[in-house]
Amino acid sequence: MTIGSKRILSYPSIRRMPSYLRVLKDLVATDQKDVSATFLAKALGFEPIVVRKDFDPLPITGKSGVGYDIHELIKAIEDHLGWNNITDAFLVGTGNLGSALLGYRGFEQYGVKIVLAFDVDPAKTHQTINDIHVLPIDEFSTMAVRMKVQIGVLAVPAEYAQPIAEQMIKAGIRAIWNFAPVKLVVPENVVVQNEDLAEGLAVLSVKLDRLKTQSVHPIPGDTSPVPENETPDTHPVP
Amino acid sequence: MTIGSKRILSYPSIRRMPSYLRVLKDLVATDQKDVSATFLAKALGFEPIVVRKDFDPLPITGKSGVGYDIHELIKAIEDHLGWNNITDAFLVGTGNLGSALLGYRGFEQYGVKIVLAFDVDPAKTHQTINDIHVLPIDEFSTMAVRMKVQIGVLAVPAEYAQPIAEQMIKAGIRAIWNFAPVKLVVPENVVVQNEDLAEGLAVLSVKLDRLKTQSVHPIPGDTSPVPENETPDTHPVP
DNA sequence: TAGATATCGATGTAAGTATATCGATAAAAG
DNA sequence: CTTTTATCGATATACTTACATCGATATCTA
Ligand SMILES: NC(=O)c1ccc[n+]([C@@H]2O[C@H](COP(=O)([O-])OP(=O)(O)OC[C@H]3O[C@@H](n4cnc5c(N)ncnc54)[C@H](O)[C@@H]3O)[C@@H](O)[C@H]2O)c1
Ligand SMILES: NC(=O)c1ccc[n+]([C@@H]2O[C@H](COP(=O)([O-])OP(=O)(O)OC[C@H]3O[C@@H](n4cnc5c(N)ncnc54)[C@H](O)[C@@H]3O)[C@@H](O)[C@H]2O)c1
């Protein structure tokens, strides 16, 4: 059973990688050279076993009794996610959410940089938000083709999401980060990642409900102070 | 094996519920009375089996050859999620993301209404965003206690997330929707839902990478037009 | 140097999800 | 009224993910 040894991260693993990166990058400032799975687990609220499993497919190896080399680990993760060289992205829809995204400097840490934005509303175009120019949507295709941009961020109202997605794809976009609560219909050679905030809200509601109903039967001699409470995410390979 | 029949939705199911709700509410406008799992599956890109499994724990039943009663289904979902009577929430941090969330009218559809916001920056307080008042953070506790608010939305910079969370909890907050990329340490009787956009970005990166490398070996006689491309989320009960 | 402690990596188990199959039922079509 | 089609619901299977155990190895301490 050694055929094609598993060098592919599962989606749950992939989702945890940004968290690891954050902690690891904080550690770089320290004089530490190595970090243990136990340490990362505690910092992030996972189980140490999960951490080691997550790193298992990466082309690195930890040392017993020591842990993983921090720099090696960071490099391995960034390599796997393709975050070493930052990829340019275009954003469409500079409304509430779109301009929040533009105002966020954090994405560059994750390999993506929004370099141009577009909107249909003349009141919003021909200005800059956080140093990013906002152009009329008509110029999207020209610019996308010229700059060979492959990632598009979709932050328009639901009813315009599909047509804008199609326009993106025609202009060469291969990956769409979709914030509109709509299932986009796209060709096979285009990937979509839907970001639906309502999912998290639904989970929160249910957790709160279940918390209340279960606390009707309180744990006998328990007044422990500071545990945790997380909700993860998983998924099979499409 | 009928002891305590499974009336509990899995987390993946819970995450799909908002999508169902959206489609169902659109259907209400129609004159349709029933909807089949097949229809919902097609509309959302799931498998019909998944849809039926998702509805199985709900206290409703579909009719063979017909489907589910739309109104019954909506009610069952909203009941389960506790979204029938809207719950008030407070938001802290009216920066880029926070004000985007305030500008969004959609959350009420999911049982949560942000009724007050708070910030530490005097330049941002004592104004309204989308008709929601922004107060100084010092007033949080008083207002939370007075209004018996149980849900807090955290949209402050990472370094302030933990202290603000603690302040929320002292004021009676039981559920925190956390947008800061930080693991919050909270007591057992408080639930946290972390919303980490980087997760989705990580998934998108990998999907794009895998798309490119696999397309080196194109599927032989395949030029099918409009398939799909989704990435779901799952998780075990804490 | 010897012993205690921490940690990895491999292997195995359990839990949770997704998917397939099939009989029964309801509506529509002939 | 009979046949066809669509659909649910139950059961079974496969797959993915999380979790547990244990031996081996490295570091630290006495
Ligand atoms: N704001 C939030 O917190 C939030 C939360 C969850 C989901 N969403 C989703 O994100 C999307 C955007 O939300 P928002 O609150 O920013 O809405 P918004 O109305 O504030 O912004 C939408 C922007 O898209 C622009 N636009 C409209 N049609 C366009 C077109 N054809 N081409 C280019 N630009 C166009 C508008 O001019 C506007 O600037 C929506 O689909 C919404 O459902 C938003
Ligand atoms: N903007 C995005 O697109 C985005 C994306 C992902 C994650 N986030 C996360 O969301 C959080 C907010 O991001 P942002 O872009 O809105 O940042 P921001 O700096 O624009 O806004 C932060 C707000 O919090 C306020 N604040 C600071 N300390 C406070 C305190 N002690 N009490 C009350 N208010 C306080 C500030 O005054 C400011 O208004 C951050 O943790 C960020 O990492 C943002």
Side-chain angles (χ1 to χ4, degrees):
Chain A
M1 215 77 97
T2 18
I3 302 167
S5 57
K6 277 230 172 175
R7 295 239 157 277
I8 286 183
L9 293 180
S10 69
Y11 276 101
S13 289
I14 292 167
R15 288 179 171 277
R16 285 187 287 266
M17 290 298 148
S19 303
Y20 294 134
L21 267 187
R22 273 194 293 267
V23 177
L24 291 172
K25 287 186 174 174
D26 282 351
L27 285 174
V28 169
T30 324
D31 54 349
Q32 266 186 280
K33 276 192 179 165
D34 303 284
V35 64
S36 70
T38 316
F39 179 92
L40 287 170
K42 272 192 188 138
L44 294 167
F46 307 149
E47 293 298 315
I49 317 160
V50 172
V51 178
R52 257 176 277 141
K53 280 267 185 206
D54 281 344
F55 296 162
D56 185 49
L58 298 176
I60 53 162
T61 174
K63 266 194 280 187
S64 294
V66 181
Y68 302 87
D69 182 284
I70 293 175
H71 285 93
E72 268 185 27
L73 196 47
I74 292 176
K75 187 170 182 318
I77 294 174
E78 289 184 336
D79 278 354
H80 189 94
L81 297 176
W83 289 359
N84 273 322
N85 34 12
I86 292 172
T87 310
D88 286 351
F90 282 1
L91 178 144
V92 179
T94 58
N96 290 309
L97 185 59
S99 50
L101 294 173
L102 291 180
Y104 189 55
R105 277 262 159 267
F107 297 131
E108 296 179 34
Q109 192 184 346
Y110 307 117
V112 171
K113 183 177 184 179
I114 299 173
V115 292
L116 266 182
F118 300 85
D119 204 296
V120 75
D121 184 351
K124 301 190 175 172
T125 57
H126 297 301
Q127 60 166 339
T128 70
I129 300 179
N130 192 26
D131 293 332
I132 300 167
H133 286 276
V134 181
L135 302 180
I137 183 70
D138 323 293
E139 300 182 27
F140 184 93
S141 299
T142 316
M143 298 305 290
V145 171
R146 184 186 304 169
M147 298 178 68
K148 294 198 178 69
V149 169
Q150 296 194 91
I151 296 181
V153 185
L154 199 44
V156 298
E159 56 269 35
Y160 302 110
Q162 181 65 39
I164 296 287
E166 285 166 12
Q167 192 173 339
M168 284 179 164
I169 293 164
K170 273 188 200 138
I173 296 284
R174 304 290 303 278
I176 298 177
W177 200 12
N178 175 37
F179 288 85
V182 173
K183 173 188 147 64
L184 298 178
V185 179
V186 303
E188 247 181 1
N189 62 344
V190 175
V191 290
V192 173
Q193 177 64 22
N194 292 319
E195 217 60 55
D196 187 353
L197 293 182
E199 288 185 4
L201 194 52
V203 172
L204 189 68
S205 299
V206 172
K207 278 199 220 170
L208 183 56
D209 265 21
R210 292 183 182 173
L211 176 74
K212 287 178 186 171
T213 56
Q214 87 181 20
S215 69
V216 175
H217 307 287
I219 298 115
D222 190 334
T223 330
S224 57
V226 205
E228 61 200 277
N229 246 317
E230 204 73 10
T231 305
D233 305 275
T234 305
H235 228 63
V237 185
Chain B
M1 217 78 98
T2 19
I3 302 167
S5 56
K6 279 229 175 175
R7 294 239 159 278
I8 286 184
L9 293 179
S10 69
Y11 276 100
S13 289
I14 292 167
R15 287 180 170 276
R16 286 188 286 266
M17 290 297 148
S19 304
Y20 294 134
L21 267 186
R22 274 193 292 268
V23 177
L24 291 171
K25 286 186 175 174
D26 282 351
L27 284 174
V28 169
T30 325
D31 54 349
Q32 267 185 280
K33 276 192 180 167
D34 303 282
V35 64
S36 71
T38 316
F39 180 92
L40 287 171
K42 272 193 187 137
L44 294 167
F46 308 149
E47 292 298 315
I49 317 162
V50 172
V51 178
R52 257 175 278 141
K53 280 268 186 208
D54 281 344
F55 295 162
D56 186 48
L58 299 177
I60 53 162
T61 175
K63 265 193 280 184
S64 296
V66 181
Y68 301 86
D69 181 284
I70 292 174
H71 284 94
E72 268 184 25
L73 196 47
I74 292 176
K75 189 171 182 315
I77 294 174
E78 289 185 334
D79 278 354
H80 189 93
L81 298 177
W83 289 359
N84 272 323
N85 33 11
I86 292 173
T87 310
D88 286 351
F90 283 1
L91 179 145
V92 179
T94 57
N96 290 310
L97 186 59
S99 51
L101 294 173
L102 291 180
Y104 190 56
R105 275 261 157 269
F107 296 131
E108 296 180 33
Q109 193 184 344
Y110 306 118
V112 171
K113 184 176 184 179
I114 299 174
V115 292
L116 267 182
F118 300 85
D119 204 295
V120 76
D121 185 351
K124 300 189 175 174
T125 55
H126 298 301
Q127 58 165 339
T128 70
I129 300 178
N130 193 27
D131 293 334
I132 300 166
H133 287 275
V134 182
L135 302 180
I137 184 68
D138 323 293
E139 300 184 27
F140 184 94
S141 299
T142 316
M143 297 306 289
V145 172
R146 184 186 304 168
M147 296 178 70
K148 294 198 178 71
V149 169
Q150 298 193 91
I151 297 181
V153 185
L154 241 186
V156 298
E159 57 268 36
Y160 302 110
Q162 180 65 40
I164 297 286
E166 286 166 12
Q167 192 172 340
M168 284 179 164
I169 293 164
K170 274 188 201 137
I173 296 285
R174 304 289 304 276
I176 298 176
W177 200 12
N178 174 37
F179 288 85
V182 173
K183 172 187 147 64
L184 299 178
V185 179
V186 302
E188 244 181 1
N189 62 343
V190 174
V191 291
V192 174
Q193 177 63 22
N194 292 320
E195 217 61 57
D196 187 351
L197 292 181
E199 289 185 4
L201 195 52
V203 172
L204 188 68
S205 299
V206 172
K207 279 199 220 171
L208 183 57
D209 264 20
R210 293 183 181 172
L211 177 74
K212 287 178 185 170
T213 56
Q214 85 179 24
S215 70
V216 175
H217 307 286
I219 298 112
D222 190 334
T223 328
S224 57
V226 205
E228 62 199 276
N229 246 317
E230 203 73 9
T231 306
D233 305 278
T234 305
H235 228 62
V237 186

